[in-house]
């Protein structure tokens, strides 16, 4: 009787036949071996530490662990490395929420509302929402990976320069609502970001641009030190100057460390939306972390109180952080099906797979499908481990937020300095951080918003390179551009949004209450 | 502080103006290229133009009532000391090594923030240094300079 | 009094960590402590991954840990600078590639391979020419490409690495030796993006790394037309080599070597040269490297041979960079 029931369930849940479910179960059994469980836990534990520490990325740690993984089976090796990577995704926003210090590109958006939540005393709630959101997003991502891997793998191939260019245009249009302060100041920051991103060796021509003759500048300005300075150091300087006021509540109740019902309810929508958004954007090479920005912009548009964003809205962290986690899973699809590794961590995973004689690609599913399924199973398990690991940590970290600045600030300073060095083993980066911190302080006081600068720096290289590549590819025949359905679709979306905004603006002008900030 | 009329933002606006001009000049020197073969200067030109045009609008806007930069002499003092301490950290690092610098830096910054006595700052210094050493130096093996003790 | 005592204790404790037991230097019986191996790319990049097994082999020979330190940036210039400025005591070594030659030519560095101590070459790499299977032009053999390019100069789209980069030099060498004109579209980064252009049909051919393309080639998204150089690659034994097709180029391979700061003491250099030779010829290294299944081969070259290869690269590259307008020797 129950055999019938189980097999019916299997048939319902696996569209590709019951043997897929069987494979997953085999994978689960394999991954529940002691070795693999320990591997999984060590990986996610290490990854969480890496993620929390600002500046330090998972790649360096994964590279260190690479030789260790060779002594084990391929599945075990992958589990450790992927665990580190995934764990780092969970912890990245911790310092963003506690100290306005983004540890990597994907955590920048979380600073905006996350830090404000922290200042309001809701740091624990913020951290917990991020943890839960990451868990849900991770799970959705893994399910997506499991079911759609073979099908969606080739999506990455469709994205050539024309498509990237159109996506970037859509991104600029969609993200224009993140310029909340004066338009003039926002566009200056955008221009600055675009210029800063061009400093260094131009990839397409090999010439050095704006390097002022310094060798260090030829490497370009690394993104993480700038945001650490602009957001983190500027805030440190700000706090150092404030006279500290003892909080009235000397005892913090346990319940206050975690989100209340209202906050959880408001987070559900953003988490789900963010998960899907991140997953699909992760399929496009190098576009994963842009999803955090798009998610934030999306939540702002969907919210009934867009102006409240920036003062501590849970939607502003739930969405982006979920997008972040699921984009990692999305990026795994082109990786596993086509061997396309676009980030340093995935390159290391690729090397690890190869050293074990496992070649990602269509053959992966034929020859080594057990590796794939053990990996998928391990990701489910790891995801659960991370949730269990992170939730109690929420209480621990939230208490850190209550430590007196006199004690906390010096420690944070050291973390910033060492962290910005750790990005590329370079002192130049530390200088970049300090200088952006000092300038960032002035920007804050005079209300020049940092986010447009960040957007400019991130989207700059993609825009320029694909713009120039498109010009070269289509120089003989421009109409070929319109043969590309994806590119045309994205451009049409962008034009539609622009048209809509112009319409709304004109309508606002005729009404007496229309306030123009231009 | 005494001169209420002085708005420092004006300096920033002019700095940005000069920067915008500099960027555009640099971009033109790099070569903008043609439509079929865009050069390396093409993109910085756009960036510089955005800065310059927006800045011109800003300059035309005139003065705005903004928050005071530093509300008191004390704030300015703390700001300068902190910036100085950060810089010193980098400069002295190759000479003294990260252990000593982290210890001294952490202790001094906490004194600036008025941590009482001197036992607490020293403890904080040692604790932080140990923490950094264990995590970054040992666990993750980041190549931090050890100064003259290596 | 008590406070003073505590302070002193802390002081000693700190010095203990700082010194890490090195305050007493053993009489020089090199090596007595770990050696840094500076790799001028970030963790996870190609040159980083192939050197980790090499460092393990070197460690087995020298008896002390050889630790990879990543110093990326500036077209590898940052890493080379670190090696150049380090103390010539044998505790800082580094990985050098063709970029140590082009660095000086591009004005990124004031010195090149002749100002560093070359200890021996361990790797050799070549790119391959791949063609798209789904673009508007699908070429099946290299002669087809050459034929078409001759009749339609500047129309065949070729993707390759960034200007001045490794595969770009090979591509340019190919183009100038064959006397043809292509629409060369450089990509940011060296491998994945380039491969993606071809696999997605956005360009017709590409000159790039074999390793990045293997999965895509197997899946039928791209076709391997030929491999540069003069020896067939173990990883793709069926692919014809350019020399077999009668095409002889000036740049034959991308040599990866071990370097040390200038002015190293002679006996230390000799010791290290021997160590590098043993490590490079280690069969375990070859096995691990082959597993990485790339265009990187374990080929040992003596220091003299490495310098010769780099000199020849310098002469060829000088011309190509000049015609691309980016020659800027300091």
């Amino acid at each position: 009787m129950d055999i019938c029931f189980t097999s019916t369930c299997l048939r319902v849940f696996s569209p590709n036949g019951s043997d897929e479910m069987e494979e997953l179960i085999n994978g689960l059994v394999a991954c529940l071996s002691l070795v693999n469980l320990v591997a999984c836990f060590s990986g996610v534990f290490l990854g969480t530490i890496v993620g929390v520490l600002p500046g330090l990325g998972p790649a360096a740690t994964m590279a260190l662990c690479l030789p260790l993984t060779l002594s084990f089976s391929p599945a075990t090796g992958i589990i450790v490395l992927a665990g580190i990577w995934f764990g780092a995704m969970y912890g990245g926003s911790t310092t963003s929420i506690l100290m306005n210090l983004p540890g990597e590109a994907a955590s920048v958006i979380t600073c905006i509302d996350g830090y404000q939540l922290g200042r309001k005393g809701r740091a624990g709630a913020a951290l917990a929402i991020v943890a839960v959101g990451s868990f849900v997003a991770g799970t959705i991502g893994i399910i997506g990976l499991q079911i759609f891997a073979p099908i969606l793998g080739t999506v990455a191939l469709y994205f050539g320069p024309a498509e990237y260019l159109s996506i970037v245009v859509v991104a600029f249009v969609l993200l224009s609502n993140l310029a909340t302060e004066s338009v003039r100041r926002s566009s200056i920051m955008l221009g600055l970001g675009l210029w800063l991103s061009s400093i260094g060796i131009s990839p397409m021509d090999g010439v050095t641009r704006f390097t002022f003759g310094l060798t260090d500048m030829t490497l370009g300005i690394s993104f993480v030190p700038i945001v650490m300075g602009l957001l983190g150091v500027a805030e440190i300087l700000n706090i150092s100057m404030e006279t500290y006021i003892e909080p009235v509540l000397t005892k913090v109740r346990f319940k206050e460390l975690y989100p209340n019902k209202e906050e959880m309810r408001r987070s559900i929508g953003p988490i789900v939306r963010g998960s899907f958004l991140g997953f699909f954007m992760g399929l496009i090479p190098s576009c994963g972390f842009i999803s955090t920005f798009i998610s934030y912009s999306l939540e702002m548009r969907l919210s009934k109180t867009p102006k409240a964003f920036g003062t501590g809205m849970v939607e502003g962290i739930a969405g982006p952080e979920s997008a972040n986690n699921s984009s990692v899973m999305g990026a795994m699809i082109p990786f596993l099906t086509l061997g396309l590794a676009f980030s340093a961590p995935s390159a290391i995973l690729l090397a690890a797979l190869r050293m074990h004689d496992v070649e990602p690609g269509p053959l992966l599913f034929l020859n080594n499908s057990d590796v794939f399924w053990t990996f998928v199973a391990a990701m489910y398990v790891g995801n659960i481990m991370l949730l269990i690991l992170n939730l109690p940590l929420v209480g621990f970290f939230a208490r850190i937020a209550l430590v007196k600045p006199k004690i906390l600030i010096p420690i944070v300073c050291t973390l910033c300095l060492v962290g910005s060095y750790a990005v590329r083993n370079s002192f130049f980066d530390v200088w970049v951080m300090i200088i952006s911190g000092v300038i960032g302080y002035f920007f804050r006081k005079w209300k020049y918003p940092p986010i447009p600068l960040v957007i400019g720096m991130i989207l700059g290289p993609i825009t320029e390179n694909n713009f120039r590549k498109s010009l070269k590819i289509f120089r003989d025949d421009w109409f070929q551009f319109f043969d590309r359905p994806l590119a045309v679709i994205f451009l049409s979306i962008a034009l539609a949004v622009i048209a809509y905004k112009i319409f709304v603006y004109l309508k606002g002008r005729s009404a007496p209450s229309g306030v123009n900030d231009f | 502080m005494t001169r209420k009329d002085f708005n420092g933002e004006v300096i920033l606006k002019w700095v940005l103006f000069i920067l915008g001009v500099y960027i555009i000049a640099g971009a033109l020197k790099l070569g903008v290229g043609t439509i079929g073969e865009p050069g390396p200067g093409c993109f910085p030109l756009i960036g510089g133009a955005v800065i310059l045009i927006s800045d011109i609008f800003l300059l035309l806007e005139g003065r705005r009532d903004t928050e005071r930069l530093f509300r008191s002499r004390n704030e300015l003092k703390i700001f300068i000391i902190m910036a100085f301490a950060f810089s010193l950290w980098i400069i002295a690092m190759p000479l003294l090594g990260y252990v000593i610098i982290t210890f001294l830096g952490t202790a001094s910054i906490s004194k600036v923030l008025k941590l009482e006595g001197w036992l607490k700052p020293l403890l904080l210094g040692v604790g932080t240094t140990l923490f950094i050493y264990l995590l970054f130096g040992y666990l993750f093996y980041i190549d931090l300079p050890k100064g003259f003790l290596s | 009094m008590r406070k003073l005592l505590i302070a002193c204790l802390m002081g000693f404790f700190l010095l203990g960590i700082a010194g890490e037991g090195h305050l007493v230097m053993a009489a020089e019986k090199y090596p007595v402590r770990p050696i840094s191996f500076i790799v001028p790319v970030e963790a996870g990049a190609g040159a980083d991954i192939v050197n980790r097994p090499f460092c393990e082999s070197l460690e087995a020979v020298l008896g002390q840990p050889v630790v990879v330190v990543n110093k990326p940036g500036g077209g590898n210039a940052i890493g080379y600078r670190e090696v150049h400025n380090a103390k010539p005591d044998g505790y800082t070594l580094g990985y050098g590639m063709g970029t140590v030659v082009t660095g000086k030519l591009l004005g990124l560095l004031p010195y090149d391979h002749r100002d560093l101590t070359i200890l021996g070459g361990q790797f050799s790499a070549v790119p391959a020419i791949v063609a798209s299977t789904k673009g508007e032009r699908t070429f099946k053999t290299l002669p087809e490409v050459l034929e078409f390019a001759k009749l339609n100069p500047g129309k065949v789209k070729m993707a390759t690495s960034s200007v001045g980069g490794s595969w770009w030099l090979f591509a340019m060498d190919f183009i100038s030796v064959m006397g043809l004109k292509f629409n060369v579209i450089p990509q940011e980064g060296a491998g994945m993006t380039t491969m993606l252009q071809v696999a997605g049909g956005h360009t017709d051919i590409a000159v790039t790394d074999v390793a990045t393309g293997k999965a895509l080639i197997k899946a039928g998204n791209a076709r391997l037309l030929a491999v540069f150089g003069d020896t067939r690659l173990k990883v793709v034994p069926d692919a014809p080599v350019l020399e077999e097709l009668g095409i002889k180029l000036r740049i034959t391979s991308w040599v990866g070597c071990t370097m040390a700061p200038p002015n190293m003491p002679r006996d230390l250099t000799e010791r290290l040269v021997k160590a590098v030779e043993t490590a490079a010829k280690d069969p375990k290294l070859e096995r691990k490297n082959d597993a990485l299944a790339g265009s990187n081969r374990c080929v040992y070259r003596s220091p003299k041979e490495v310098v010769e290869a780099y000199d020849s690269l310098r002469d060829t590259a000088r011309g190509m960079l000049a015609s691309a307008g980016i020659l800027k020797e300091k």
Side-chain angles (χ1 to χ4, degrees):
Chain A
M1 181 59 187
D2 33 18
I3 300 178
C4 283
F5 179 66
T6 335
S7 61
T8 323
C9 279
L10 288 178
R11 243 172 274 273
V12 166
F13 283 117
S14 55
N16 297 342
S18 57
D19 30 49
E20 264 216 359
M21 210 56 193
E22 220 178 276
E23 296 224 54
L24 177 62
I25 295 185
N26 286 343
L28 258 173
V29 171
C31 94
L32 286 177
S33 76
L34 192 64
V35 177
N36 283 347
L37 277 179
V38 171
C40 192
F41 184 74
S42 341
V44 300
F45 182 71
L46 215 55
T48 311
I49 301 181
V50 169
V52 172
L53 291 174
L56 194 60
T61 318
M62 287 166 77
L64 273 181
C65 292
L66 196 58
L68 291 172
T69 62
L70 288 178
S71 351
F72 300 99
S73 76
T76 315
I78 306 299
I79 290 174
V80 173
L81 295 176
I84 297 178
W85 192 8
F86 217 42
M89 289 294 122
Y90 262 75
S93 48
T94 309
T95 47
S96 305
I97 295 174
L98 293 179
M99 308 155 187
N100 206 38
L101 189 66
E104 69 244 334
S107 320
V108 174
I109 280 281
T110 318
C111 287
I112 309 178
D113 280 275
Y115 184 63
Q116 295 306 319
L117 276 168
R119 297 214 88 177
K120 282 204 255 185
R122 305 298 301 152
L127 289 168
I129 290 176
V130 163
V132 170
S134 302
F135 173 72
V136 173
T139 311
I140 293 181
I142 302 172
I143 296 179
L145 173 67
Q146 176 193 331
I147 301 181
F148 294 115
I151 314 171
L152 288 180
T154 45
V155 167
L157 294 179
Y158 288 103
F159 284 85
E163 284 76 16
Y164 273 97
L165 188 60
S166 0
I167 290 183
V168 165
V169 171
V170 173
F172 271 117
V173 170
L174 285 179
L175 294 176
S176 59
N177 72 332
L178 294 188
T180 43
E181 303 279 348
S182 95
V183 177
R184 276 172 278 199
R185 285 178 173 76
S186 298
S187 47
I188 283 198
M189 297 301 269
L190 180 67
L192 267 180
L194 291 174
W195 170 63
L196 286 172
S197 74
S198 71
I199 296 182
I201 303 180
S202 140
M204 295 200 49
D205 343 74
V207 293
T208 53
R209 299 192 285 196
F210 299 105
T211 58
F212 305 104
L214 297 168
T215 317
D216 281 300
M217 291 283 258
T218 61
L219 138 197
I221 302 210
S222 183
F223 179 72
V224 174
I226 282 211
V227 285
M228 282 177 79
L230 217 52
L231 297 168
V233 177
E235 182 60 26
I236 290 177
L237 290 170
N238 195 36
I239 293 195
S240 313
M241 304 202 301
E242 281 175 0
T243 28
Y244 177 66
I245 304 167
E246 285 274 348
V248 177
L249 273 158
T250 42
K251 267 185 103 153
V252 180
R253 284 175 303 184
F254 181 77
K255 258 214 304 200
E256 308 227 321
L257 289 176
Y258 289 89
N260 55 37
K261 283 212 182 75
E262 159 91 28
E263 287 162 341
M264 291 285 352
R265 188 184 53 82
R266 279 162 58 192
S267 306
I268 298 179
I271 290 179
V272 173
R273 285 189 285 268
S275 306
F276 282 99
L277 182 67
F279 181 74
F280 286 110
M281 286 202 73
L283 289 171
I284 310 171
S286 309
C287 276
F289 67 95
I290 298 180
S291 61
T292 54
F293 289 84
I294 307 260
S295 167
Y296 189 80
S297 169
L298 183 68
E299 293 309 318
M300 223 169 133
R301 283 173 201 276
L302 290 175
S303 160
K304 299 198 177 48
T305 55
K307 292 261 189 261
F309 273 76
T311 62
M313 298 279 283
V314 291
E315 290 88 340
I317 56 170
E321 277 299 315
S322 311
N324 185 27
N325 266 64
S326 58
S327 73
V328 172
M329 281 300 141
M332 290 295 285
I333 293 191
F335 172 72
L336 288 173
T337 50
L338 294 173
L340 288 173
F342 275 95
S343 56
S346 42
I348 298 179
L349 264 183
L350 188 62
L353 277 174
R354 288 214 170 116
M355 288 200 201
H356 283 290
D357 274 325
V358 177
E359 183 65 40
L363 296 181
L364 181 73
F365 296 94
L366 291 170
N367 298 347
N368 302 97
S369 65
D370 55 322
V371 174
F372 175 74
W373 288 108
T374 315
F375 172 74
V376 169
M379 285 296 100
Y380 280 118
V381 174
N383 208 18
I384 297 176
M385 275 189 195
L386 278 167
L387 187 67
I388 299 177
L389 196 61
N390 275 285
L391 280 181
L393 282 181
V394 162
F396 170 67
F397 283 120
R399 290 218 162 80
I400 289 186
L402 297 171
V403 172
K404 285 191 224 169
K406 307 188 248 205
I407 299 183
L408 194 58
I409 296 284
I411 303 181
V412 177
C413 288
T414 316
L415 267 184
C416 282
L417 291 163
V418 178
S420 55
Y421 176 81
V423 177
R424 283 191 303 199
N425 286 341
S426 150
F427 277 116
F428 177 71
D429 285 345
V430 192
W431 280 118
V432 165
M433 186 192 76
I434 295 177
I435 295 176
S436 3
V438 169
I439 299 181
Y441 178 80
F442 293 113
F443 279 148
R444 272 173 69 120
K445 286 287 176 179
W446 289 324
K447 302 269 195 295
Y448 286 74
I451 293 299
L453 191 144
V454 170
I455 295 178
M457 275 201 84
I458 294 183
L459 292 181
I462 305 183
T463 317
E464 178 186 14
N465 292 334
N466 288 293
F467 177 65
R468 294 174 67 179
K469 281 192 274 187
S470 300
L471 286 179
K472 282 200 120 188
I473 293 180
F474 296 109
R475 69 180 181 193
D476 300 322
D477 184 7
W478 267 100
F479 289 102
Q480 273 185 11
F481 186 92
F482 297 101
D483 272 338
R484 317 190 72 99
L486 276 175
V488 173
I489 292 177
F490 284 119
L491 271 187
S492 321
I493 296 178
L495 285 172
V497 176
I498 294 178
Y500 176 71
K501 283 168 96 85
I502 295 180
F503 174 67
V504 166
Y505 177 72
L506 289 173
K507 232 173 89 159
R509 279 263 283 234
S510 51
S513 58
V515 175
N516 292 350
D517 191 23
F518 193 76
Chain B
M1 283 128 321
T2 45
R3 293 161 57 196
K4 274 186 74 176
D5 300 315
F6 182 67
N7 184 356
E9 196 185 345
V10 165
I11 302 181
L12 181 65
K13 293 185 190 177
W14 280 107
V15 165
L16 285 171
F17 184 81
I18 298 174
L19 184 66
V21 172
Y22 172 75
I23 295 175
I24 293 183
L28 290 173
K29 199 164 76 141
L30 283 170
V32 180
T34 60
I35 286 288
E37 287 269 350
C42 162
F43 195 70
L45 183 70
I46 299 177
V50 169
I51 295 178
L52 196 61
I53 296 177
S54 320
D55 193 52
I56 291 178
F57 277 106
L58 265 188
L59 284 168
L60 290 175
E61 137 196 290
R63 201 199 339 251
R64 233 184 17 162
D65 268 326
T66 48
E67 220 180 302
R68 298 204 62 87
L69 253 191
F70 300 107
R71 283 186 290 265
S72 66
R73 265 240 116 79
N74 195 39
E75 281 198 2
L76 182 62
K77 196 177 75 170
I78 296 183
F79 181 81
I80 294 182
I81 294 181
M82 293 286 280
F84 194 62
F86 274 98
S87 315
L88 207 61
W89 197 88
I90 309 178
I91 300 175
M93 175 85 96
L95 195 60
L96 296 175
Y98 77 99
V99 175
I100 296 184
I101 288 294
T102 310
F103 170 66
L104 286 176
T106 321
S108 335
I109 293 182
S110 66
K111 279 311 283 175
V112 167
L113 297 171
K114 304 203 182 29
L115 192 58
E116 307 84 18
W118 57 276
L119 183 63
K120 274 204 211 156
L122 287 181
L123 273 178
L124 189 63
V126 172
T128 315
T129 313
L130 196 63
F131 174 67
I132 296 286
Y133 170 74
L134 280 177
L135 276 183
F136 285 93
Y138 187 71
L139 192 56
F140 296 111
Y141 212 92
I142 301 286
D143 179 43
L144 288 166
K146 306 201 178 54
F148 63 81
L149 290 168
S150 75
Chain C
M1 188 56 207
R2 195 170 68 113
K3 285 194 179 166
L4 186 61
L5 203 61
I6 297 179
C8 286
L9 278 174
M10 285 194 211
F12 281 128
F13 177 57
L14 277 178
L15 278 176
I17 303 180
E20 281 184 87
H22 301 152
L23 287 178
V24 180
M25 285 306 288
E28 283 319 305
K29 182 112 187 47
Y30 174 86
V32 297
R33 55 187 169 89
I35 299 166
S36 302
F37 190 85
I38 296 185
V39 170
V41 296
E42 58 166 9
D48 169 79
I49 293 187
V50 299
N51 274 300
R52 289 181 187 266
F54 176 69
C55 288
E56 279 171 33
S57 301
L58 200 54
E59 186 173 324
V61 174
L62 290 174
Q64 281 284 334
V66 177
V67 183
V68 169
V69 176
N70 301 92
K71 295 264 178 193
N76 308 139
I78 305 280
Y80 298 146
R81 188 185 59 182
E82 288 288 325
V83 178
H84 183 263
N85 297 345
K87 270 203 296 211
D89 56 5
Y91 288 101
T92 310
L93 305 174
Y95 184 62
M97 299 176 270
T99 44
V100 80
V101 177
T102 57
K104 181 149 186 249
L105 298 174
L106 290 169
L108 296 170
L109 284 174
Y111 40 79
D112 63 10
H113 57 291
R114 287 197 164 265
D115 304 297
L116 290 154
T117 315
I118 307 282
L119 297 171
Q122 64 258 36
F123 293 131
S124 180
V126 290
I129 301 183
V130 282
S132 165
T133 52
K134 49 163 77 131
E136 47 160 308
R137 282 190 271 266
T138 60
F139 297 108
K140 297 204 179 44
T141 63
L142 190 59
E144 257 182 64
V145 178
L146 299 173
E147 186 67 45
F148 191 91
K150 218 179 297 193
L151 299 170
N152 304 283
K155 288 276 193 283
V156 178
K157 299 190 268 250
M158 173 197 277
T160 183
S161 76
S162 43
V163 171
S166 48
W167 308 147
W168 180 86
L169 288 168
F170 280 90
M172 285 297 153
D173 196 24
F174 176 75
I175 291 178
S176 72
V177 163
M178 301 308 296
L180 297 167
K181 276 177 65 118
F182 287 88
N183 184 0
V184 179
I185 304 173
Q187 309 292 324
E188 62 273 23
M192 291 287 166
T193 332
T194 316
M195 202 56 220
L196 198 60
Q197 303 300 311
V198 166
H202 308 293
T203 55
D204 307 310
I205 59 174
V207 172
T208 183
D209 189 346
V210 167
T212 45
K214 252 187 44 175
L216 288 162
I217 295 173
K218 281 231 175 73
N221 292 303
R223 191 174 288 128
L224 182 58
L225 294 183
V227 170
F228 278 74
D230 51 14
T231 348
R232 292 216 166 192
L233 287 184
K234 237 184 283 182
V235 62
V236 279
D238 307 321
V241 183
L242 281 187
E243 217 173 87
E244 286 172 16
L245 296 173
I247 301 174
K248 230 182 140 44
L249 299 177
R250 294 168 293 177
I251 306 180
T252 45
S253 69
W254 194 247
V255 176
C257 70
T258 310
M259 314 186 297
N263 305 319
M264 291 265 287
R266 160 151 288 165
D267 46 332
L268 197 50
T269 313
E270 273 171 22
R271 172 107 187 262
L272 281 169
V273 168
K274 279 212 232 5
V276 167
E277 180 171 357
T278 318
K281 292 184 175 164
D282 185 0
K284 277 205 283 243
L285 175 66
E286 184 147 7
R287 245 184 299 125
K288 286 188 195 159
N289 187 59
D290 287 344
L292 287 172
S295 41
N296 196 53
R297 273 167 36 237
C298 289
V299 173
Y300 177 69
R301 283 185 172 80
S302 70
K304 201 159 80 84
E305 289 170 326
V306 174
V307 173
E308 268 168 23
Y310 283 162
D311 281 344
S312 139
L313 177 66
R314 181 189 56 194
D315 299 329
T316 317
R318 197 178 264 143
M320 294 196 292
L321 293 175
S323 40
I326 50 178
L327 183 68
K328 275 196 200 50
E329 270 178 277
K330 269 214 190 124

